[in-house]
Amino acid sequence: MSSQRYQEFIAERTRLLERIRELETENAELRKRLGEPVTPMPPASSAMQNLSLQEKIDLFCSLFKGRDDVFARRWYSKTRGKAGYQPVCQNEWTPLCDKRKYKCADCPNRQFSPLTYNDYYRHLEGKDSDGRDVIGLYVLNEDNTCHLLCTDFDDKNCEHGYQDDVLAFVDVCRSWNVPYSIERSRSGNGAHVWIFFDSPVLAVKARKLGNAILTEAMNRDGKIGFKSYDRFFPNQDTLPEGGLGNLVALPLQGNARKNGNSVFVNEFFEPYPDQWQYLLNVDKFSEQTLEELLKQNANTMPLGDLSKTSESKPWEVPVANKIERTDFASEIVITRSNMLYIPLS
């Protein structure tokens, strides 16, 4: 089913649900006029109300799995107006901590803090207005496996909006029966598409899945350039020596949720009314199905396809052309001046 056809289906479903609500209201009004008793419809059970705090955190942890022996937390400097993430250290601001002498990465007294229940609680509660309670999860395990693949779409450099790219990406997921979840980013100017695995898989396989989905999406629509695509998490196939790999900010941080961000949304980018009910129904992708899908797409070009609009017939949809390494020059001349200049041809 194409993205356009799927959107038409969603719009029709929304229209029918609204019509059902109208008919229920009319039915209740007619019963009143006829003197018949009106039995109110029982409210739907809400996971937000039914789940305990412990159950919510357990559910959250069952999906957003990464390293639990180390994690990062967001920092924010009001004086400089800058923000970032750094691993949480048990010795920070103790007598063993000398930030004037050592950078954190080089400190001999560095001792990572494990990720605990209280850290998840602080993140979900999200009382810090500057977001200094946001958890940064290291998704690449020490054995080079991961429990999820997160694709980051950012609107900073996107001319046509990140939403079209997201929809093209999830359209392939849907047709390939890959379960996915769309999260609006903390800033509200981008999105994460999460794919959860039911068991740890090698990061190289998870990233191959992401590359195959991106390539297929570009093959289906030559006008999609994926300018908003930023990166995958994990961002490496293997853990760098002495490093932790890239981190991803976890969703549902309390303060961001108040602004309608860091929440899971539908294909209209509207937040689900009960985020916990949504998470209860999230499906996971099995390693066996992943293996089968990768075999089917073993010949997918890692560089994707190149398409250009025809200058003589600009009204026609461009056709994607396969590109290979041999299409590129073995050497290029780069001019270094006030910037680096690379010739286009």
Side-chain angles (χ1 to χ4, degrees):
M1 185 184 295
S2 66
S3 295
Q4 181 179 357
R5 182 71 187 91
Y6 184 73
Q7 290 301 315
E8 291 173 355
F9 171 79
I10 293 293
E12 179 66 9
R13 177 181 178 275
T14 303
R15 187 189 69 79
L16 291 173
L17 289 174
E18 181 62 31
R19 181 56 181 156
I20 289 173
R21 286 191 288 268
E22 291 175 357
L23 291 173
E24 288 176 344
T25 302
E26 291 177 10
N27 183 273
E29 182 62 29
L30 289 173
R31 285 180 175 275
K32 285 182 181 179
R33 293 180 183 181
L34 295 172
E36 297 181 2
V38 178
T39 304
M41 295 292 292
S45 178
S46 169
M48 178 73 76
Q49 298 171 341
N50 294 340
L51 292 180
S52 68
L53 180 59
Q54 180 68 60
E55 289 172 330
K56 289 177 182 177
I57 292 179
D58 289 344
L59 171 59
F60 191 77
C61 295
S62 71
L63 293 170
F64 302 98
K65 290 182 178 181
R67 292 187 61 170
D68 56 11
D69 61 326
V70 58
F71 74 104
R73 186 174 284 131
R74 188 176 186 270
W75 58 265
Y76 175 73
S77 172
K78 291 186 178 180
T79 56
R80 293 183 296 163
K82 293 184 177 180
Y85 290 83
Q86 72 175 31
V88 178
C89 178
Q90 296 183 27
N91 292 328
E92 187 174 23
W93 308 121
T94 70
L96 295 174
C97 177
D98 189 349
K99 291 183 181 288
R100 291 175 296 182
K101 186 175 182 180
Y102 297 107
K103 292 182 178 180
C104 289
D106 303 323
C107 180
N109 299 317
R110 193 177 196 182
Q111 185 174 356
F112 294 131
S113 294
L115 189 53
T116 66
Y117 174 93
N118 287 336
D119 298 312
Y120 284 113
Y121 177 79
R122 283 184 58 190
H123 171 90
L124 294 171
E125 186 183 36
K127 284 189 172 182
D128 193 298
S129 59
D130 295 319
R132 289 173 295 191
D133 42 22
V134 179
I135 289 176
L137 183 73
Y138 293 102
V139 299
L140 185 55
N141 298 317
E142 292 182 281
D143 60 356
N144 297 320
T145 64
C146 60
H147 287 85
L148 58 86
L149 175 71
C150 177
T151 309
D152 185 20
F153 294 90
D154 197 328
D155 203 27
K156 286 185 295 187
N157 301 314
C158 185
E159 298 173 358
H160 61 270
Y162 71 91
Q163 296 184 355
D164 290 341
D165 290 348
V166 171
L167 291 177
F169 186 89
V170 301
D171 182 55
V172 177
C173 292
R174 189 167 47 249
S175 64
W176 286 0
N177 294 317
V178 177
Y180 62 88
S181 297
I182 305 173
E183 174 222 349
R184 183 182 296 144
S185 64
R186 274 178 42 81
S187 67
N189 296 321
H192 292 146
V193 179
W194 300 83
I195 297 173
F196 302 102
F197 303 110
D198 64 2
S199 61
V201 302
L202 287 174
V204 63
K205 294 180 180 179
R207 288 168 46 76
K208 282 183 178 180
L209 171 65
N211 283 320
I213 294 172
L214 281 175
T215 301
E216 176 64 17
M218 286 188 284
N219 285 343
R220 293 184 181 186
D221 188 347
K223 294 180 289 185
I224 293 291
F226 281 97
K227 291 184 179 180
S228 69
Y229 164 70
D230 188 29
R231 70 185 81 181
F232 293 126
F233 299 98
N235 199 31
Q236 301 91 2
D237 292 339
T238 57
L239 198 65
E241 184 177 355
L244 300 171
N246 287 65
L247 61 86
V248 60
L250 293 186
L252 298 183
Q253 190 264 352
N255 192 58
R257 287 206 316 266
K258 296 176 183 177
N259 299 319
N261 297 328
S262 195
V263 294
F264 291 95
V265 298
N266 58 23
E267 280 79 4
F268 290 112
F269 296 90
E270 300 168 338
Y272 290 103
D274 189 334
Q275 294 286 302
W276 297 105
Q277 186 64 52
Y278 174 78
L279 292 183
L280 277 173
N281 295 322
V282 164
D283 291 324
K284 295 183 178 181
F285 201 42
S286 72
E287 184 175 13
Q288 179 181 351
T289 310
L290 170 63
E291 293 278 5
E292 295 171 355
L293 190 57
L294 291 180
K295 288 179 182 178
Q296 295 172 11
N297 294 274
N299 296 323
T300 298
M301 296 303 297
L303 296 176
D305 294 330
L306 178 66
S307 63
K308 293 183 178 179
T309 302
S310 170
E311 294 183 3
S312 59
K313 298 179 181 179
W315 55 86
E316 292 185 354
V317 176
V319 177
N321 299 310
K322 295 290 184 181
I323 57 174
E324 301 177 356
R325 295 184 184 277
T326 54
D327 293 318
F328 298 92
S330 59
E331 295 181 356
I332 59 173
V333 177
I334 300 177
T335 303
R336 180 181 179 182
S337 182
N338 62 319
M339 298 175 64
L340 291 178
Y341 293 87
I342 302 175
L344 298 177
S345 61

